[in-house]
């Protein structure tokens, strides 16, 4: 009924004594969205209006206004929305207080208000998030989403304040975070997006903002299923080593587990569109069995609208047939490689920042090699802006001396984008 | 019908009701089954322990069947028994057996060994074995007394039945639904299985349907057809030197060259026939057994080790007892293969070959008890025995 399904990819055959079960679970939605009774949705546009937005002869602020107006134009009638200005504290750009309901009139009023927004003051992102959390609390049943734009670091509050604010937003709304230019912190926005089940990306040039905001708003409008959960039953004596979303982006959600009972945990998968596919890599340690025995590694269920439905089984069968146990499952191997790719990029960039050219060359070379093999063409292109590639097959690279800061940030922030297994 | 009372709300409910119509409480009083591993009483519908995750034994993991044919005034019934077991190393039993005792001391034995590298083969093998057995029982129905005498059945006719049995087995195996390959070694091919069917005829064969060239008194016959590496052995009481492997494995370089299934090679089916003088055993088995006793001599010796009494000529008179002894031997052979490592699924099907003339002298006095026994075991006319789960 719910239109959700899950499929498991694994090599269920384990050598004698093995305790670790790996599986990739593909979760699919295929839901007929009923136009007559759409889910209640809430869109919050949280726009940096700090003083730094005046830079580039006003181009940043000008384009931020255009982008916000484009996002407003993408709101469907009936959607609750608000535009929040962010500086040393948050303030309402539109409506004056609380939320508006999108229609022709409110969209027009909102765009006018946005056109008048002025940039000044500092950057305290936590306060912006708290404002959004308050607004979202007004429509607790709505599918809440925010676009958060900043061009700078979180300078006017502490890290602890930011983290406390993020915690208030978890489970209240989802947030896609975007950094404009090169003066913001990848880690700060990544922390926000990871916790709030959203994405993080760089917008290198102000003129690219409108297209990005339009896209993000359209995607948010497509999320018709508010909260989906991955429910994992694992046997007594087992440990869930990790649960990672591995496509479309890499996101470790292990720590998001909420216990249902001693053997069952729920992992929030956020809001879903009617036609989506995401992959998850599970690794579970279970008590070993004798050769010829079978044990469940996990029972995978999906929780949609509070209803759980059985979805798929992760199995473990112990065998002494090496032809079986040594086979590597393609999906598991692929996403293990994608995780290594992200780690190699992170390591390489960190070593490069620390002035350790040798380590940076080795790790970024390895990243080029994996990306090349797996067909991550976008990632190869991003890597090429940071390293000269002599031979992608062997990962032979040289560090570039002159690297644009935004190119380095783009590589960093997009290192968690994965490609799916090549079929056939 | 006695009514029961709902333990939850006290309303009466008809006996056998699954739930209470008044309050909806579960009335299914089937005792909870304990997990074979941790003992938890919580087994899911799909067969896993809800505490430790252990897969519970499948009903096909170990199957024992016995069959006693219909009893006529003239001749004693044939008996047959078979055992199939998952073994140790495979996690699923894809072998299937089907046996049927016929009238006149004869029997049908079928073993199909589902190919583990093609998913869905367990269904292919069971469908094939049952269909082949059913067909042979139908074709042999003219042996069950009446006008046609067993002695008039010609070799060509019986060989034709075996070829037909192979064809229905092929049709059934080819119709088994393809299962998505999840195993890493699966070649992704359609379900497939080996095949061996044997007809043990207690009164021999004539050269033709006319009855001319009738077999000698006390002579019996075995006719078998096969595809793949499942085998038929003749193991006479006369001694290991007389033991014989009747089939020739269809195997080239470690791979099957013939099998059942949608992608099976076509061509004539090999049929072998042999006149035998009993007593002795006809054994039909899968490679899970013969890998531990390959040559006819080794197999004879294995039978002797498991139960030497029959080879020594000690055959029980009563049919039920004879059937039980056949089952006992089949269990012993399978147990030997399990103890030897159980690297594959193991199946053994047996027919005690005792000539009707040899058995004839004790027929009269035991007829009543025979009828009783066979009614219990085989209430209808010789139908192929459906696989029964569990031990005895």
């Amino acid at each position: 009924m719910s239109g959700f399904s899950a499929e498991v990819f694994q090599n269920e055959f384990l050598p004698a004594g093995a305790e670790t079960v790996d599986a990739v679970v593909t979760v699919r939605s295929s839901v007929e969205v009923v136009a007559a009774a759409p889910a209640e949705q809430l869109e919050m546009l949280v726009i940096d209006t700090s003083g730094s937005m005046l830079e580039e002869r006003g181009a940043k602020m000008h384009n931020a206004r255009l982008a916000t107006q484009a996002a407003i134009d993408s709101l469907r009638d009936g959607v609750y929305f608000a535009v929040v200005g962010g500086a040393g504290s948050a303030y309402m750009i539109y409506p004056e207080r609380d939320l508006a309901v999108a229609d022709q009139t409110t969209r027009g009023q909102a765009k006018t208000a946005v056109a008048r927004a002025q940039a000044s003051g500092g950057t305290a992102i936590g306060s912006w998030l708290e404002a959004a959390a308050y607004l979202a609390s007004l429509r607790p049943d709505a599918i809440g989403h925010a676009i958060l734009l900043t061009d700078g670091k979180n300078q006017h509050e502490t890290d602890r304040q930011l983290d406390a604010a993020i915690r208030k937003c978890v489970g209240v709304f989802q947030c896609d975070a975007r950094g404009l230019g090169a003066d913001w912190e990848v880690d700060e926005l990544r922390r926000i997006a990871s916790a709030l089940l959203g994405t993080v990306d760089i917008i290198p040039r102000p003129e690219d903002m409108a297209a990005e905001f339009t896209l993000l708003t359209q995607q948010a409008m497509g999320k018709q299923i508010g909260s989906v959960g991955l429910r994992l039953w694992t046997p007594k004596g087992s440990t869930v080593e990790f649960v990672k979303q591995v496509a479309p982006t890499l996101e470790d959600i292990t720590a998001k587990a909420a216990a249902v009972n001693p053997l069952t945990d729920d992992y929030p998968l956020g809001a879903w569109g009617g036609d989506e596919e995401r992959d998850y890599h599970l690794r579970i340690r279970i008590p070993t069995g004798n050769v010829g025995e079978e044990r469940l590694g996990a029972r995978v269920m999906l929780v949609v609208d509070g209803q759980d439905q059985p979805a798929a089984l992760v199995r473990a069968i112990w065998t002494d047939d090496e032809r079986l146990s040594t086979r590597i499952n393609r999906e598991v191997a692929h996403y293990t490689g994608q995780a290594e790719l992200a780690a190699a990029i992170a390591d390489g960039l960190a070593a490069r920042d620390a002035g350790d050219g040798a380590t940076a060359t080795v790790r970024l070379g390895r990243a080029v090699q994996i990306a090349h093999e797996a067909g991550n063409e976008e990632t190869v292109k991003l890597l090429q802006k940071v390293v000269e590639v002599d031979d992608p097959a062997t990962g032979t690279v040289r560090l570039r001396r002159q690297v644009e800061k935004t190119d380095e940030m783009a590589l960093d922030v997009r290192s968690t984008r994965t490609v799916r297994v090549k079929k056939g | 019908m006695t009514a029961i009372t709902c333990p939850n709300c006290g309303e009466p409910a008809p006996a056998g009701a699954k739930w209470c119509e008044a309050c909806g409480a579960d009335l299914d009083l089937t005792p909870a089954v304990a997990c074979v591993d941790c003992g938890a009483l919580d087994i899911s519908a799909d067969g896993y322990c809800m505490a430790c995750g252990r897969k519970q034994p499948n009903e096909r993991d170990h199957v024992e069947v016995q069959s006693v044919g219909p009893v006529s005034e003239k001749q004693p019934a044939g008996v047959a028994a078979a055992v199939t077991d998952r073994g140790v190393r495979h996690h699923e039993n894809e072998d299937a057996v089907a046996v049927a005792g016929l009238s006149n001391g004869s029997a049908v034995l079928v073993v199909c060994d589902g190919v583990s590298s093609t998913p869905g083969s367990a269904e292919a093998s069971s469908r094939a074995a049952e269909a082949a057995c059913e067909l042979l029982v139908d074709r042999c129905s003219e042996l069950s007394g009446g006008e046609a005498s067993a002695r008039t059945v010609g070799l060509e006719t019986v060989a034709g039945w075996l070829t037909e049995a192979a064809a229905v087995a092929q049709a059934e195996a080819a119709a088994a639904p393809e299962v998505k390959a999840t195993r890493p070694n699966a070649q992704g091919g359609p379900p497939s299985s080996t095949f061996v069917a044997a007809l043990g005829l207690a009164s021999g064969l004539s050269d033709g349907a006319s009855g001319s060239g009738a077999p000698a008194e006390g002579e019996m016959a075995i006719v078998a057809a096969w595809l793949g590496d499942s085998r038929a052995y003749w193991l006479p009481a006369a001694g290991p030197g007389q033991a014989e492997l009747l089939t020739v494995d269809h195997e080239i370089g470690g791979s099957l060259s013939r099998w059942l299934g949608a992608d099976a090679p076509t061509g004539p089916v090999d049929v072998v026939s042999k006149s035998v003088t009993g007593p002795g055993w006809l054994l039909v088995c899968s490679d899970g057994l013969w890998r531990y006793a390959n040559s006819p001599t080794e197999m004879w010796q294995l039978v002797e080790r498991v139960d030497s009494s029959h080879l020594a000529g000690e055959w029980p008179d009563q049919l039920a007892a004879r059937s039980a002894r056949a089952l006992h031997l089949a269990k012993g052979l399978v147990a030997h293969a399990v103890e030897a490592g159980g690297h594959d699924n193991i199946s053994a099907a047996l027919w005690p070959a005792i000539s009707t003339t040899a058995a004839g002298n004790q027929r009269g006095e035991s007829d009543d008890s025979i009828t009783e026994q066979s009614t219990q075991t085989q209430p209808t006319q010789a139908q192929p025995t459906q696989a029964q789960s569990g031990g005895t």
Side-chain angles (χ1 to χ4, degrees):
Chain A
M1 258 310 272
S2 75
F4 276 76
S5 65
E7 186 176 6
V8 167
F9 299 90
Q10 66 165 149
N11 177 10
E12 62 269 43
F13 292 97
L14 304 179
E19 297 180 321
T20 305
V21 191
D22 274 284
V24 168
V25 180
T26 297
V27 178
R28 292 190 188 89
S29 67
S30 87
V31 180
E32 290 275 329
V33 175
V34 184
E40 187 176 300
Q41 284 177 294
L42 163 65
E43 185 66 31
M44 296 172 290
L45 306 168
V46 183
I47 308 303
D48 186 346
T49 60
S50 65
S52 60
M53 290 294 285
L54 295 168
E55 289 165 9
E56 300 186 31
R57 295 194 304 276
K60 281 181 170 180
M61 196 57 212
H62 173 66
N63 282 290
R65 287 190 197 101
L66 294 180
T68 307
Q69 289 168 337
I72 292 165
D73 278 331
S74 302
L75 296 171
R76 229 189 6 249
D77 279 358
V79 169
Y80 289 88
F81 78 104
V83 183
V84 176
S89 61
Y91 62 97
M92 295 302 290
I93 293 175
Y94 185 85
E96 284 181 25
R97 53 189 293 270
D98 299 344
L99 299 167
V101 178
D103 61 25
Q104 206 166 350
T105 310
T106 55
R107 276 193 294 264
Q109 290 169 349
K111 287 196 285 183
T112 306
V114 167
R116 292 182 188 140
Q118 296 299 320
S120 73
T123 303
I125 298 173
S127 70
W128 313 351
L129 289 171
E130 290 196 26
Y134 163 74
L135 292 171
S137 73
L138 300 173
R139 303 302 311 177
D141 294 332
I143 302 171
H145 179 257
I147 299 173
L148 184 142
L149 175 81
T150 184
D151 76 332
K153 295 183 177 72
N154 190 40
Q155 284 172 321
H156 298 97
E157 63 186 13
T158 64
D159 252 11
R160 287 179 64 155
Q161 283 175 300
L162 177 60
D163 284 335
I166 291 171
R167 278 197 298 276
K168 288 182 189 167
C169 303
V170 170
V172 179
F173 64 93
Q174 287 185 228
C175 181
D176 289 311
R178 292 295 178 267
L180 176 62
D183 298 329
W184 54 283
E185 283 289 327
V186 172
D187 284 343
E188 277 173 9
L189 291 202
R190 182 172 280 154
R191 245 155 67 208
I192 295 167
S194 286
L196 305 184
L197 307 177
T199 61
V200 56
D201 201 3
I202 182 170
I203 305 176
R205 300 175 307 169
E207 58 267 36
D208 298 330
M209 263 190 288
E212 181 76 2
F213 273 46
T214 303
L215 181 71
L216 289 174
T217 312
Q218 285 169 350
Q219 281 175 354
M221 294 295 102
K223 303 292 181 192
Q224 289 289 313
I225 303 102
S227 100
V228 178
L230 184 73
R231 180 165 291 180
L232 282 189
W233 174 94
T234 53
K236 220 173 183 170
S238 65
T239 316
V240 176
E241 294 219 331
F242 61 69
V243 179
K244 289 175 186 169
Q245 178 185 288
V246 288
T249 58
L250 202 59
E251 193 67 60
D252 193 329
I253 58 171
T254 317
K256 297 187 199 292
V260 176
N261 63 48
L263 299 181
T264 310
D265 288 312
D266 276 354
Y267 297 83
L269 306 186
W272 281 63
D275 181 20
E276 261 196 74
E277 218 172 280
R278 301 182 201 168
D279 291 339
Y280 299 87
H281 183 177
L282 324 177
R283 178 172 293 167
I284 297 151
R285 278 174 75 87
I286 60 171
T288 191
N290 295 319
V291 165
E293 287 179 6
E294 176 179 344
R295 196 187 292 285
L296 273 189
R299 205 179 267 284
V300 180
M301 288 161 276
L302 294 169
V303 185
V304 181
D305 297 331
Q307 301 276 316
D308 67 336
Q309 54 173 85
L313 301 180
V314 176
R315 303 154 70 208
I317 300 166
W318 286 272
T319 178
D320 61 358
D321 184 345
E322 290 190 356
R323 288 171 309 164
L324 295 175
S325 61
T326 57
R327 286 294 186 93
I328 292 165
N329 176 268
R330 199 166 57 151
E331 283 77 10
V332 171
H334 172 79
Y335 287 124
T336 304
Q338 294 286 294
E340 191 196 342
L341 169 60
I345 292 172
D347 292 353
L349 289 177
R352 191 174 166 282
D353 279 354
D356 180 356
T359 303
T361 306
V362 169
R363 297 299 284 151
L364 293 173
R366 175 69 184 138
V368 167
Q369 190 182 21
I370 300 170
H372 173 73
E373 273 172 20
N376 301 53
E377 295 309 328
E378 290 301 319
T379 307
V380 172
K381 276 185 204 157
L382 292 168
L383 280 159
Q384 279 170 334
K385 290 183 175 167
V386 179
V387 294
E388 272 315 335
V389 178
D390 292 331
D391 181 6
T394 58
T396 311
V397 303
R398 284 168 289 140
L399 297 182
R400 287 185 190 275
R401 296 223 171 133
Q402 297 292 324
V403 177
E404 289 288 335
K405 178 71 178 157
T406 50
D407 286 336
E408 188 185 324
M409 290 171 76
L411 176 60
D412 185 358
V413 80
R414 293 173 189 169
S415 63
T416 52
R417 286 191 189 177
T418 58
V419 291
R420 305 195 71 187
V421 178
K422 282 184 261 185
K423 299 292 177 192
Chain B
M1 259 200 174
T2 41
I4 53 173
T5 306
C6 171
N8 188 42
C9 68
E11 287 293 315
K18 289 252 190 310
W19 60 84
C20 173
E21 294 288 348
C23 73
D26 192 356
L27 296 181
D28 193 354
L29 299 175
T30 317
V33 179
C35 170
V36 293
D37 193 338
C38 73
L41 293 172
D42 193 2
I43 306 298
S44 65
D46 55 359
Y48 293 94
C49 174
M50 289 303 286
C52 75
R54 175 70 186 277
K55 173 90 169 165
Q56 303 301 301
N58 185 288
E59 59 177 23
R60 274 187 75 166
D61 281 2
H62 183 90
V63 178
E64 299 180 357
V65 287
Q66 305 181 61
S67 176
V68 178
V71 178
S72 73
E73 299 239 327
K74 292 180 189 166
Q75 293 152 329
V79 302
V83 174
T84 180
D85 192 277
R86 178 174 66 86
V88 176
R89 303 295 173 173
H90 282 214
H91 81 287
E92 193 185 349
N93 188 8
E94 293 171 295
D95 277 10
V97 294
V99 298
L102 304 172
S103 62
N104 181 36
S106 302
V108 174
L109 309 178
V110 186
V111 166
C112 289
D113 173 359
V115 176
S116 65
S117 59
T118 53
S121 293
E123 186 175 341
S125 66
S126 62
R127 287 174 69 152
E130 278 162 29
C133 188
E134 196 172 336
L135 179 123
L136 289 170
V137 169
D138 283 351
R139 292 292 176 271
C140 291
S141 59
E142 63 189 82
L143 291 176
S144 59
E147 297 304 310
S149 158
R151 298 241 166 81
T152 66
V153 179
L155 168 61
E156 278 175 28
T157 308
V158 178
W161 294 346
L162 268 301
T163 306
E164 261 188 276
V168 299
Q170 161 62 22
E172 282 298 320
E178 259 192 71
V179 174
K180 191 178 157 290
T182 55
R183 291 185 203 180
N185 74 328
Q187 290 131 20
S192 37
S193 173
T194 71
F195 171 78
V196 57
L199 196 50
L201 294 165
S203 52
L205 292 165
S206 64
D207 293 332
S210 64
S212 62
E217 197 76 346
E219 197 172 80
M220 296 179 286
I222 297 165
V223 186
W226 76 100
L227 293 161
D229 65 356
S230 294
R231 293 180 173 177
Y233 289 86
W234 166 239
L235 307 166
Q242 314 290 311
E244 204 174 322
L245 173 59
L246 304 175
T247 53
V248 181
D249 298 345
H250 292 132
E251 190 218 55
I252 297 169
S255 298
L256 296 178
S257 56
R258 298 294 301 271
W259 62 88
L260 300 174
D263 63 346
T266 53
V269 176
D270 285 327
V271 180
V272 63
S273 64
K274 182 179 174 58
S275 289
V276 296
T277 307
W281 289 107
L282 168 62
L283 167 68
V284 165
C285 65
S286 64
D287 61 341
L289 175 65
W290 65 248
R291 67 187 293 153
Y292 301 111
N294 191 349
S295 73
T297 307
E298 287 168 316
M299 193 63 86
W300 194 95
Q301 286 163 343
L302 175 59
V303 168
E304 189 188 36
R305 274 206 302 283
V306 173
D307 189 344
S308 61
S309 60
H310 320 299
L311 295 177
E314 295 160 23
W315 300 83
D317 291 343
Q318 293 198 349
L319 293 176
R322 198 179 286 173
S323 162
R325 296 305 286 270
L327 181 66
H328 173 258
L329 177 56
K331 282 162 75 172
L333 293 173
V334 168
H336 170 81
V338 170
E339 278 157 28
H343 280 78
D344 203 342
N345 303 145
I346 307 146
S347 297
L350 288 162
W351 171 60
I354 303 162
S355 89
T356 48
T357 48
N361 50 16
Q362 35 83 21
R363 192 166 60 220
E365 62 185 82
S366 56
D367 250 2
D368 286 348
S369 63
I370 290 166
T371 311
E372 228 168 74
Q373 299 280 6
S374 65
T375 311
Q376 281 175 358
T377 320
Q378 198 73 20
T380 55
Q381 283 285 318
Q383 289 298 313
T385 305
Q386 297 299 310
Q388 307 283 323
S389 63
T392 46

